Amino acid sequence: MEAANSTGPPALPSPQPYAYERMTPVEPDWRRLPGWRDVTAAQWRDAQWQRAHCVKTPRQLKAVAGPLLQDRFFADLEADRKRFATMSMLLTPQMLNTMAPAAPTGPAAFTEAFLADPVRRYMLPVASDRDPEWPSHPYAERDSLHEAEMWVVEGLTHRYPTKVLAELVSTCPQYCGHCTRMDLVGGSTPQVEKARLTLKPTDRQDLMIDYLKRTPGVRDVVVSGGDVANVPWPRLESFLMRLLDLESVRDIRLATKALAGLPQHWLQPAVLEGLERVARTAARRSVNLAVHTHVNHVQSVTPLVAEAARAALEAGVRDVRNQGVLMRGVNTTPKALLDLCMVLQGEANILPYYFYMCDMIPHAEHWRVALWEAQELQHAVMGYLPGYATPRIVCDVPYVGKRWVHQVAAYDRELGISEWTKNYRTGIELDDPDALTRRYLFYDPVSTLDEPGRRWWRENGHTKE
């Protein structure tokens, strides 16, 4: 073999697949929107002002956007409400302000930018977003993870051996279009008559505490809803202190998208003072207290969000972590995912933790990605972040739980059917001898399959076996 010719000019280095550039979070100027032209900075920072000015109807959105949004957008929005929407409309000013932050001010250009905006795509879906042939997968379910089926008392899901999910409330400050608890959370829509929590909040909490006292094998409690930001702070603090009285509880996680959608709530002095009291008690008992939030795109990470995360850490919370959801058109490119993780980790002190494959709820097919796409994304984000801050991409398999996307037991790419196994029984499987050997199925969106797979689903997929 001849030696390479070394007389020519040196080869230029190949660019990295992802080029890191430090990004500083910016609070978009809300005054660019006609309806908020006179809103002061003090009003914007006020949690009660934010709650009082949430956008709940197309008419209220028109009042905020003025002539910037054309009628064609509202026609698209109304069509979605009538045919597809599983969540009622509820947007905090903070969340709405992160949509199309740099859009031109001409109505046609602004409307196009608003339609294309990644935050809008999942917080305010319109009919033209949905998959035209398969808006829902044939195996989609309203309670896709069967959480209510695993309630040991109302609102308390005992799914994993050592962990429970405590749903204290069925409302949030804002509603995401892809909500995994769309069967319970928020107001009913023309498509979905919502389930309801029926017990008084104090009675529900009493039953939860009583169950945990009787079940010392549970060490980890996720306190959620809905969103804990919608639980009046004295009631939430009381519940957390009762959890901290239980010697068996070693981890407590507060689930709140409001850290991103309504950071003003978490910056209120009364809330921070209460959080500090809880954190001090947790520290004395060596209990790990963390806040888990839900950010899906880098635009949502503003200075107020970073300030709220830092305030929680300064109050004594051990970690603030992010649990995002992979959604097509929002964050399913390596650049979009890494940009978000870099800003969360580097600028907002929020640890990138999980990105879930979007659950198989109705009318979610335009968001969902195939398993192989999720695996490629996991590969693409490795090596750029510290190991502890590299998010795990997981599939939350019904009756199984979270599994890293590479833990699949078998995968039929043509039909988009993956098989998964588990290593524990849920509370409803304690007498099931086959629970640990059964293969549990998950399904790719039909639209991601090649034509033979699509044809199979057209011929076989409209009725469940």
Side-chain angles (χ1 to χ4, degrees), residues 12 24 39 79 81 103 146 156 163 186 292 373 383:
L12 294 174
T24 303
V39 175
R81 188 191 71 82
H146 305 278
L156 189 67
K163 300 184 283 187
H292 281 202
E373 292 176 296

Side-chain angles (χ1 to χ4, degrees), residues 186-208:
S188 296
T189 72
Q191 284 67 243
V192 181
E193 184 68 28
K194 301 291 176 118
R196 287 286 177 260
L197 297 172
T198 59
L199 296 175
K200 294 180 180 178
T202 52
D203 293 340
R204 189 181 313 113
Q205 291 184 15
D206 287 345
L207 289 173
M208 291 177 177

Side-chain angles (χ1 to χ4, degrees), residues 62 65-75 106-112:
K62 281 185 178 182
L68 292 178
L69 273 179
Q70 295 178 313
D71 287 344
R72 61 191 175 99
F73 174 81
F74 291 99
F110 184 91
T111 300
E112 285 300 319

Side-chain angles (χ1 to χ4, degrees), residues 292-337:
H292 281 202
T293 193
H294 177 184
V295 186
N296 291 318
H297 195 269
V298 69
Q299 285 172 201
S300 296
V301 188
T302 74
L304 274 170
V305 173
E307 184 181 346
R310 286 194 300 271
L313 293 168
E314 289 168 3
V317 167
R318 172 175 171 168
D319 287 302
V320 180
R321 308 182 186 116
N322 185 60
Q323 296 189 149
V325 176
L326 292 180
M327 286 180 286
R328 195 176 304 280
V330 179
N331 56 17
T332 54
T333 67
K335 176 173 171 49
L337 206 56

Side-chain angles (χ1 to χ4, degrees), residues 124-175:
L124 189 63
V126 294
S128 62
D129 294 333
R130 309 284 181 174
D131 189 298
E133 183 177 5
W134 298 94
S136 295
H137 194 278
Y139 285 83
E141 296 187 66
R142 287 172 48 155
D143 181 10
S144 65
L145 301 179
H146 305 278
E147 289 179 335
E149 191 177 336
M150 300 179 198
W151 281 358
V152 288
V153 302
E154 184 182 80
L156 189 67
T157 299
H158 194 169
R159 185 183 186 194
Y160 300 94
T162 60
K163 300 184 283 187
V164 294
L165 167 73
E167 296 169 86
L168 298 190
V169 67
S170 61
T171 62
C172 301
Q174 69 289 300
Y175 293 137

Side-chain angles (χ1 to χ4, degrees), residues 108-372:
F110 184 91
T111 300
E112 285 300 319
F114 198 72
L115 281 166
D117 185 78
V119 180
R120 194 285 308 163
R121 284 185 61 84
Y122 83 92
M123 290 300 304
L124 189 63
V126 294
S128 62
D129 294 333
R130 309 284 181 174
D131 189 298
E133 183 177 5
W134 298 94
S136 295
H137 194 278
Y139 285 83
E141 296 187 66
R142 287 172 48 155
D143 181 10
S144 65
L145 301 179
H146 305 278
E147 289 179 335
E149 191 177 336
M150 300 179 198
W151 281 358
V152 288
V153 302
E154 184 182 80
L156 189 67
T157 299
H158 194 169
R159 185 183 186 194
Y160 300 94
T162 60
K163 300 184 283 187
V164 294
L165 167 73
E167 296 169 86
L168 298 190
V169 67
S170 61
T171 62
C172 301
Q174 69 289 300
Y175 293 137
C176 309
H178 66 286
C179 181
T180 189
R181 298 197 182 106
M182 49 76 62
D183 190 47
L184 176 69
V185 171
S188 296
T189 72
Q191 284 67 243
V192 181
E193 184 68 28
K194 301 291 176 118
R196 287 286 177 260
L197 297 172
T198 59
L199 296 175
K200 294 180 180 178
T202 52
D203 293 340
R204 189 181 313 113
Q205 291 184 15
D206 287 345
L207 289 173
M208 291 177 177
I209 295 294
D210 180 66
Y211 178 81
L212 293 172
K213 286 179 179 177
R214 293 184 286 108
T215 317
V218 173
R219 63 175 306 283
D220 182 357
V221 182
V222 178
V223 186
S224 183
D227 192 311
V228 295
N230 271 20
V231 181
W233 180 262
R235 186 188 303 160
L236 178 59
E237 183 174 345
S238 172
F239 182 71
L240 296 176
M241 289 300 194
R242 294 175 74 185
L243 288 178
L244 288 168
D245 282 339
L246 302 177
E247 186 61 35
S248 53
V249 173
R250 312 308 302 156
D251 281 276
I252 298 174
R253 294 177 273 170
L254 305 181
T256 173
K257 188 188 176 77
L259 193 77
L262 187 63
Q264 294 85 349
H265 169 82
W266 292 103
L267 289 168
Q268 294 177 103
V271 172
L272 286 173
E273 290 163 9
L275 190 61
E276 186 174 3
R277 288 190 294 270
V278 174
R280 283 201 306 266
T281 304
R284 284 198 301 270
R285 282 218 42 240
S286 298
V287 173
N288 298 310
L289 177 68
V291 170
H292 281 202
T293 193
H294 177 184
V295 186
N296 291 318
H297 195 269
V298 69
Q299 285 172 201
S300 296
V301 188
T302 74
L304 274 170
V305 173
E307 184 181 346
R310 286 194 300 271
L313 293 168
E314 289 168 3
V317 167
R318 172 175 171 168
D319 287 302
V320 180
R321 308 182 186 116
N322 185 60
Q323 296 189 149
V325 176
L326 292 180
M327 286 180 286
R328 195 176 304 280
V330 179
N331 56 17
T332 54
T333 67
K335 176 173 171 49
L337 206 56
L338 282 166
D339 281 351
L340 170 58
C341 292
M342 292 293 183
V343 171
L344 286 171
Q345 167 71 6
E347 312 300 332
N349 297 114
I350 298 174
L351 185 72
Y353 175 46
Y354 278 144
F355 280 93
Y356 291 82
M357 294 177 66
C358 185
D359 291 321
M360 290 179 56
I361 55 171
H363 301 153
E365 291 306 275
H366 66 293
W367 286 309
R368 294 203 311 120
V369 297
L371 176 63
W372 64 268

